[in-house]
Amino acid sequence: MYTKMKCLFLQLFGLLVVFASCEVGNKNTTNITKYHKVEINHRVLVPEEGLLIGNGDLSVSIYQNSNSIIWRFGKNDVWDRRHDTKIDPEPAHIEEIAKGINEEGWVNNSFNQGIVKKKEGRPVTKRAQEICDGTPSYAFRPYPCPKPIGELAFNLPMDQKLLSISQVLTIEQAIINVNILFESGVSIHLECFIPPEPDVLVVNWKVENWNNVSATGFDPCSFSLYRWADPSIAEFAKKWLANTGSDMFMRFADPNLSPLPPPETGKINSTPVISQRFYPDFDSTQGFRCFMLPVAPDCKIKIVNPEWKTEARLQISPKKKALSGSVAVGVVTGNFSEEVDKKCQDILTRFTGEYSKTIQALRQTTIKAGSDFWKLSEVATDDSLFNRVWYETLHAKRCTYRQDVIAPGLYLPSTLNDYSPWHGDYHTNYNYQSAFWGRYEANHLGLGNAFFPGMKYMVDLGRRLARDYWNGRGTFIQLVGYPFTIKEDPMGVGSLCRMAYMTGWISNHYWYRYLYTMDKLWLKEEGYPVIRDVALFYMDFLKKGDDGKYHAFPSGQNEYHFTGKTEDYTDKPQVIRHARYALQIAANASKVLDTDRILNQQWNEIVNNIIEVDSLDVLGYTKDEKHKYFANSPEFFTKRQIIEPSNSNVMPDFLKQAQDNSLWSWYFGFMPMVLTGNIRNGNFDADRDYPTLREFLNRWRMPNGLFRSMSQNSYGYMGAMSECLGILGPLNEMLIQSWNDGIHVFPAWPKSIDASFKTLRTRGAFLVSSQLKGGEVQYIKITSEKGGDCIVVNPWNDETLSVIRNGEKSMLNVDKKITLKTSTNDVILIMP
């Protein structure tokens, strides 16, 4: 009896110890003792490879040239917003597309190349030529596109020979330190950060051993702040061709196209500033404006050559050859003169008074914000590469995405060229969406909310496009779009102009937000109006045939071109999958909100009778797995791989390191989606495939922790592509999944590598912590934010588990799944 009681006591004591250790990671403390760092001990020559800091709106990439340390500014709302559609034909109506495919047999070979006659005896009409040729404004105008802001340069003393340079980002603090050592013994220390607000870069600098250097005729340091004039597109295109071998910009090289007006220098009060004007747009008749204003009371700020038309430059020189100090540069943008002027005045007022105390206060605020951000979740594994990628990717998201501003397009703003491939726009056939994968699982709702401000413009325009060009209700999400007001379809003609699958893909993200938060108020006010409109669009687009099934015509998938074959635009799997899923989630959402009951019945009727394009047995699913297949989001659809026991060591094709494997040799940007799909469908065997995945990550990872999207042989240095931030999604899926009726911990993680995580978020608004050690799950801790049933896949063989709920211990009999009824804020610890 004594022995049994002792064993029970020890077991309970062990449970309480684990419970207490879990709680330590959840306390509201701002004291982080372990920091993750990115260190570069060589010069970085291009912004996209430089260390990155930012507050989600203003961001900076740090790189170098032969004699300067350079901070390149980017801000999410700085766009050339001209949308010149005067040369565009009238956007195509869906009935024209249907007739062209069915009756005229249109064929075109590329995005912008004339049609090839298919049906004999039928002349090619002018209108057919217009539609098949594609959208001239998109093909032959470089704008709209995001634009770089300018740069701040710390000028190194020219008479000193550089010995070494070290650049270190401390992720949890969001502070970068640059240390430079010269042969003479002189050293320069730079510390920089961007506080949560205002939009200001702060650089603290210190020079050591300068007085020990004899007979130097140079100042110890100086800064330059500048914005260059936009080059003509023809000049840019020729230079791009010379540097990369790609002629992709040559089609824009119309000498009549005007660049932005040249930047200007001026003063606000007595402070010299640099301003960049943009042409008027639909949101501002005065034109958008961007200011860079330096604040450095201990420095002389001088306008350099104010008459220059090719550059606007300020020189910032410390007074009396000071050996330490601080420089702050504010970036202000806005649509109206009064708005911009007030923001500038606010920044100047912020630094009025004791400058050094203001700098120190902003530094502390930056560190506090970093601590608050990183205490929301944590990952620790015995693989340092996995840890680095997880933290570095999440850091980059934090620097460039924020819920109260529009999100970047294809490129991170501080890495932009003067003109961007593909207009740098919101591409919705996965590029824009992919940057957001993993944000809810990482328990960062603010990063998830950043999806919606920019998308609002596309949803609003899509309502008019659905009405005018589809004869329908709801909203149509175009392949491309912009995070500001435009008055016409940005891709109104061409073979890609009326593809229907992106519309459903966008609505998924509104539903994900609800599933991970169970926030009914948000769903009602923000999410459901979009989900409903997407479902209405598909209701009117899909047509019931004589077979009683709903069919989709006309719409291609992927990036199809006109082929002359009706079947290539009929019931394409990608279109059907997204339409079915969008209608399914609309029905689920209306049920949650108890609204639109008639529509709910209609949506379910279509879902139950839509044409079947996927044969489950061919795809590798059993009848018992049918629900699993339909529960998977269409973007992560992958044929399930069946591996015979004799071939158990065969690696799936998507991870083979072959030269003809585009993921390995040419294009990493597609990896996050492909990898997630294969993880969900069982094609990824962690024990077998993880070493190869590591090689992929090492191959494409840049010095700053970001991933290069494309081989440099393709388009040269085009900027850091935001789609690669999606790698956070499959990394989280390896640690935890909840998309298929249950929480599954370490579902795709190698058993040989110990790992743990704290407060990752699952569907149902549960925060989960767990640990894998020696191949065995040690515990699962769950915090229920909203209550409700919590289902957990049982990782143990035990049929009886120990449970501590809010401090009270009990025993639970379980099967393959553990079902727990929870109340709001319940904290539950499960152990074998």
Side-chain angles (χ1 to χ4, degrees), residues 804-815:
I804 297 180
R805 183 191 296 261
N806 303 325
E808 296 185 6
K809 180 180 178 293
S810 63
M811 305 302 289
L812 182 69
N813 294 322
V814 299
D815 194 3

Side-chain angles (χ1 to χ4, degrees), residues 180-236:
I180 306 152
L181 179 63
F182 299 93
E183 285 186 355
S184 64
V186 171
S187 60
I188 297 176
H189 308 281
L190 304 168
E191 179 192 69
C192 55
F193 58 88
I194 296 176
E197 59 82 29
D199 286 333
V200 171
L201 167 71
V202 175
V203 179
N204 297 319
W205 54 274
K206 183 178 181 181
V207 181
E208 294 183 336
N209 298 325
W210 184 260
N211 294 328
N212 297 334
V213 179
S214 61
T216 178
F218 291 84
D219 290 337
C221 66
S222 65
F223 291 87
S224 297
L225 183 67
Y226 51 90
R227 207 289 184 199
W228 53 95
D230 242 15
S232 71
I233 182 58
E235 175 188 348
F236 180 86

Side-chain angles (χ1 to χ4, degrees), residues 794-803 811-818 830-832:
N794 186 2
W796 300 290
N797 294 325
D798 303 45
E799 295 181 355
T800 303
L801 300 177
S802 299
V803 177
M811 305 302 289
L812 182 69
N813 294 322
V814 299
D815 194 3
K816 293 181 180 179
K817 290 187 177 181
I818 307 164
I830 311 170
M831 288 184 67

Side-chain angles (χ1 to χ4, degrees), residues 287-308:
F288 187 81
R289 293 201 300 165
C290 178
F291 278 84
M292 293 191 295
L293 58 158
V295 185
D298 296 328
C299 296
K300 295 177 292 185
I301 304 176
K302 178 184 176 182
I303 296 176
V304 179
N305 294 327
E307 303 303 320
W308 273 3

